[in-house]
């Protein structure tokens, strides 16, 4: 396939309006909406779908009306797929994506070691799929429009650009531009999901502090037929010409391959983006692996700089920030889109309870605290990976290369090799809305952690948990709790599977778990005590005596 044919397929995706502009009644008469989400990327759409499925009114505005250009985020982690299941999209994402769990790390022309991110059985989803962001956005938009058609309280407004916002005591006043002129809108709550260059953040005069690393990386999405396995291949000091200090190879759907080359700091961006120069680099990589250069098309190219930054606070009164508008990390490790989807998951159920009057708005402070902690964790991991991949001093380079030499021969050195620690869900262990751990069971299911999946009958545990508060009883007799206005659905599993027993019970004959709507574990006990569970439930929504 030639370059023009490859680009025409992609341009057809990018050029199709998915939620075209349509005049809203709000443009004729001032209206108050429960939640307005600014930005129809993966994070904003995931949040809006979650809210709508819970019955909370949400309006999504975006200055565009189609998917973002280029594949951008491609690695979606197991936890993101589990969240997508609740949104009605997990299976379609897996069906379209390229599944993988194995990675290989090379130093020069030799392999140091390989790894498997999900070596154990008993999980519904793979460790990762590779799937271009534009496909994920298409799926999310289709799901949102499906919900709207079914009568759910969700509206997508394309070519609605936020001009200004003013926070009041009980609402936020917005000015929104459209092809027919500007209009005013009010919202009880606004969530900014409008990206790393967030106009909302700029309008509010808020900072975005952190570190910019002195290096540039070239992304080339290449469409070709190739026999490389569906694995993550990463090279330190790759043997092919023009690759720089590191290179990365990933397979995507439709025979598209993501290749990253490290370029260095002082570069001529226009020169490096010249297709002929990019082809020289790609040709060198392919010929070094296959002995020849297959026919290929350049679908998308871009240069990015490693940045690890975040806002000081994710909540500013009635305006909240999520995804790249709140935090930004370097791409190696797949922590950008995955952490943003977890922001949406954390926020949706809390905002839903507040809109329905079942919790006070102080619960949103826990969103900020928990996800600021998660952002710091992601930034720490990304910073360490970047420092290892791009040594800044001669001593650092010597140390890095010594670790790589040792890792090729000795397993003890392999955990020191850092080509990007891959995304895992954050644990909120020790945060105020969690505890106690009266069971003292297996570490993966401790309070604060995201529930590990396991087979249950003809399905999986996380499917049965859904997006509710759940009182899970394993072994023993069924239990239930009269919680009044705040529902807590009982789920009893009399005969846990071996995987469920290993991940939740350990040596205990039975256990009681209280689980939040975002499937993080609030508390666990060896037996049922209604007063203890009720106290933990109230604690989980900020009603601490």
């Amino acid at each position: 396939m030639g370059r023009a044919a490859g680009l025409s397929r992609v341009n057809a995706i990018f050029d199709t309006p998915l939620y075209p502009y349509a005049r809203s009644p709000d443009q004729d008469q001032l209206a108050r909406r429960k939640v307005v989400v600014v930005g129809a990327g993966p994070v904003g759409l995931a949040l809006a779908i979650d809210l709508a499925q819970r019955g909370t009114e949400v309006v999504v505005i975006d200055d565009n009306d189609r998917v973002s250009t280029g594949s951008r985020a491609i690695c979606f982690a197991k936890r993101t797929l589990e969240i997508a299941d609740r949104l009605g999209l997990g299976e379609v994402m897996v069906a379209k994506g390229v599944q993988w769990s194995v990675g290989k790390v090379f130093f020069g022309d030799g392999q140091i070691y390989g790894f498997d991110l999900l070596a154990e059985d008993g999980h519904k989803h793979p460790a990762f799929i590779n799937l271009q962001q534009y496909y994920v956005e298409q799926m999310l938009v289709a799901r949102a429009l499906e919900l709207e058609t079914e009568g759910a309280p969700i509206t997508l407004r394309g070519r609605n650009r936020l001009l200004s916002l003013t926070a009041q005591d009980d609402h936020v006043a917005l000015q929104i531009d459209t092809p027919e002129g500007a209009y005013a809108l009010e919202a009880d709550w606004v969530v900014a999901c409008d990206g790393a260059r967030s106009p909302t953040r700029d309008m509010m005069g808020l900072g975005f502090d952190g570190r910019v690393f002195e290096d540039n990386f070239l992304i080339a999405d290449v469409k070709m037929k190739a026999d490389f396995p569906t694995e993550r291949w990463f090279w330190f000091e790759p043997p092919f010409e023009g690759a720089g200090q590191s290179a990365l190879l990933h397979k995507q759907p439709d025979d598209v391959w993501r290749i990253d080359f490290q370029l260095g700091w002082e570069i001529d961006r226009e020169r490096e983006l010249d297709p002929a120069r990019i082809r020289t680099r790609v040709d060198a990589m392919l010929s070094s692996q296959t002995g020849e250069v297959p026919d290929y098309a350049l679908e998308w190219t871009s240069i990015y700089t490693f940045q690890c930054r975040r806002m000081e606070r994710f909540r500013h009164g009635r305006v909240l920030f999520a995804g790249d508008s709140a935090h930004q990390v370097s791409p190696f490790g797949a922590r950008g889109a995955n952490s943003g989807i977890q922001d949406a998951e954390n926020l949706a159920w809390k905002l839903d309870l507040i809109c329905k009057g079942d919790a006070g708005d102080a619960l949103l402070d826990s969103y900020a605290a928990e996800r600021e902690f998660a952002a710091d964790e992601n930034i720490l991991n990304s910073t360490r990976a970047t420092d290892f991949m791009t040594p800044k001093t001669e001593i650092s380079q010597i140390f890095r290369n010594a670790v790589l030499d040792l890792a090729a021969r000795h397993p003890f050195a392999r955990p020191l090799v850092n080509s990007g620690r891959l995304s895992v869900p954050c644990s909120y262990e020790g945060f105020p809305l969690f505890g106690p751990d009266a069971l003292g069971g297996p570490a993966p299911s401790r309070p604060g952690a995201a529930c590990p999946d396991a087979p249950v009958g003809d399905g999986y545990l996380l499917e049965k948990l859904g997006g509710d508060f759940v009182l899970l009883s394993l072994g023993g007799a069924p239990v239930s709790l009269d919680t009044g206005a705040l529902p807590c659905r009982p789920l009893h599993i009399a005969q846990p599977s071996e995987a469920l027993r290993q991940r939740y019970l350990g040596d205990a004959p039975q256990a009681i778990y209280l689980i939040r709507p975002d499937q993080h574990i609030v508390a666990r006990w060896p037996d049922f005590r209604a007063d203890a569970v009720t106290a933990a439930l109230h604690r989980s929504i900020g009603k601490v005596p």
Side-chain angles (χ1 to χ4, degrees):
M1 177 184 287
R3 181 173 185 270
L7 288 175
S8 67
R9 181 191 67 83
V10 175
N11 288 339
I13 296 172
F14 298 154
D15 291 343
T16 303
L18 297 182
Y19 45 103
Y21 170 76
R23 187 173 181 83
S24 162
D26 295 353
Q27 292 170 246
D28 299 316
Q29 183 173 356
L30 180 64
R32 171 82 66 89
R33 302 299 178 186
K34 285 289 185 183
V35 180
V36 170
V37 173
V38 183
V43 177
L45 289 169
L47 173 64
I49 291 168
D50 205 340
L51 285 168
Q53 289 185 160
R54 297 176 187 280
T56 289
E57 179 190 54
V58 57
V59 173
V60 182
I61 63 170
D62 197 289
D63 59 359
N64 211 330
D65 57 6
R66 60 202 70 196
V67 298
S68 57
T69 57
S71 59
R72 297 178 182 264
I74 64 166
C75 294
F76 292 91
K78 178 175 175 288
R79 183 60 198 147
T80 296
L81 299 175
E82 292 164 354
I83 296 167
D85 267 348
R86 292 194 295 101
L87 306 181
L89 293 168
E91 292 182 1
V92 68
M93 287 178 65
V94 172
K96 180 63 178 176
V98 172
Q99 301 182 33
W100 67 276
S101 63
V102 172
K104 292 177 181 175
V105 180
F106 303 88
F107 183 30
D109 57 4
Q111 180 179 328
I112 301 174
Y113 68 94
F115 58 85
D116 189 338
L117 296 170
L118 195 63
E120 64 179 9
D121 295 328
H123 296 266
K124 178 180 178 181
H125 289 304
F128 278 89
I129 63 166
N130 285 352
L131 181 62
Q132 294 94 321
Q133 181 173 320
Y134 48 76
Y135 282 134
V136 176
E137 290 183 12
Q138 282 183 316
M139 294 170 183
L140 286 162
V141 168
R143 177 60 177 152
L145 295 176
E146 177 185 51
L147 287 168
E148 185 177 7
T149 300
E150 293 171 353
I154 183 172
T155 304
L156 269 61
R157 297 184 184 175
R159 300 181 69 190
N160 275 236
R161 180 171 64 91
L162 181 65
L163 292 174
S164 67
L165 73 168
T166 305
Q168 309 291 343
D169 290 340
D170 64 344
H171 72 280
V172 181
L174 310 173
Q175 285 288 323
I176 300 169
D177 194 24
T178 75
E180 297 183 283
Y183 70 99
L185 182 67
E186 294 180 349
D188 290 348
W189 302 96
V190 171
V191 186
C193 304
D194 49 352
R197 295 183 177 89
S198 172
T200 308
R201 191 179 62 234
D202 290 343
M203 290 173 195
M204 297 180 68
L206 299 173
F208 201 43
D209 300 323
R211 181 177 172 188
V212 177
F213 293 87
E214 294 186 358
D215 223 319
N216 293 286
F217 291 78
L218 170 70
I219 294 175
D221 278 359
V222 175
K223 185 170 179 64
M224 64 181 177
K225 297 287 187 181
D227 294 329
F228 302 125
T230 54
E231 300 171 347
R232 180 187 194 262
W233 285 7
F234 186 94
W235 286 265
F236 290 99
E237 298 188 4
F240 26 94
E241 183 179 356
Q245 289 193 47
S246 67
L248 179 70
L249 177 69
H250 263 297
K251 185 178 182 180
Q252 304 176 66
D254 308 325
D255 293 317
V256 176
W257 297 78
R258 162 69 58 84
I259 304 174
D260 289 58
F261 297 108
Q262 187 175 351
L263 301 182
W265 183 234
E266 294 182 356
I267 65 168
D268 182 334
R269 294 176 69 91
E270 184 176 349
R271 179 170 177 262
E272 296 296 352
L273 285 171
D274 179 72
R277 187 168 178 81
I278 294 171
R279 281 183 167 274
T280 299
R281 297 183 190 275
V282 174
D283 289 355
M285 169 186 247
L286 295 177
S287 63
S288 75
Q289 300 303 305
T290 65
E292 60 184 16
V293 179
D295 185 33
Y296 67 85
L298 294 175
E299 285 214 331
W300 182 64
T301 58
S302 181
I303 289 175
Y304 63 89
T305 302
F306 273 4
Q307 300 185 48
C308 291
R309 304 185 293 171
R310 79 165 175 90
M311 298 177 67
E312 181 180 0
R313 292 182 292 119
F314 293 0
R315 181 187 181 188
H316 292 265
R318 290 182 171 269
V319 181
L320 302 109
F321 291 80
D324 284 352
S325 69
H327 50 78
Q328 186 179 16
V329 293
S330 54
F332 287 101
R335 293 174 177 273
N338 288 298
S339 65
I341 297 295
Q342 290 174 49
D343 290 348
E345 177 201 38
N346 186 294
L347 179 57
W349 69 271
K350 296 175 180 177
L351 203 47
D352 172 66
L353 287 181
I354 291 164
C355 288
K356 291 175 178 173
D358 293 331
D361 69 20
L363 182 59
L364 293 179
D365 292 335
S366 74
Y367 160 74
E370 290 169 8
R371 295 314 297 168
E372 287 161 9
F373 172 78
D376 287 340
E377 184 177 275
N378 283 319
I379 287 171
L380 177 63
N381 278 287
S382 291
T383 299
R384 287 173 174 172
T386 305
D387 285 339
F388 191 86
M389 290 163 54
T390 60
K392 302 303 185 292
T393 66
E394 182 179 357
I395 293 298
S396 296
Q397 180 93 24
I398 291 170
F399 170 78
R400 198 278 304 272
N401 289 351
V403 168
L404 295 174
D405 283 331
L406 283 170
R409 304 188 304 274
H410 303 291
F412 81 85
R414 291 168 190 169
L416 299 175
V417 176
N418 196 333
S419 61
R421 301 280 189 244
L422 288 156
S423 175
V424 294
C426 177
S427 172
Y428 309 127
E429 183 178 10
F431 274 73
L433 304 190
F434 296 89
D437 183 4
L439 179 68
S445 57
R446 66 195 183 278
C451 288
D453 206 4
V456 175
D458 59 353
Y460 288 87
L461 177 63
L462 298 188
E463 295 174 333
K464 298 183 182 299
L465 293 179
D468 306 316
F469 276 103
V470 173
L471 180 61
L472 173 65
S473 52
L474 301 171
V479 298
S480 61
L481 189 69
D482 182 5
T483 58
L486 185 63
C488 184
R489 177 167 53 85
L491 174 61
H492 179 59
I493 301 173
Q495 300 293 331
S497 65
E498 182 58 30
L500 192 60
R501 183 170 293 281
Q502 289 177 359
R503 293 165 198 170
Y504 285 83
L505 286 167
D507 296 330
Q510 63 179 37
I512 305 293
Y513 279 78
L514 178 62
I515 299 168
R516 296 197 320 188
D518 59 3
Q519 298 180 346
H520 279 258
I521 294 161
V522 176
R524 60 184 180 179
W525 302 268
D527 48 35
F528 178 67
R529 285 180 44 212
D531 58 340
V533 176
T534 300
L537 180 63
H538 288 165
R539 183 187 187 96
S540 71
I541 62 169
K543 293 184 177 180
V544 182

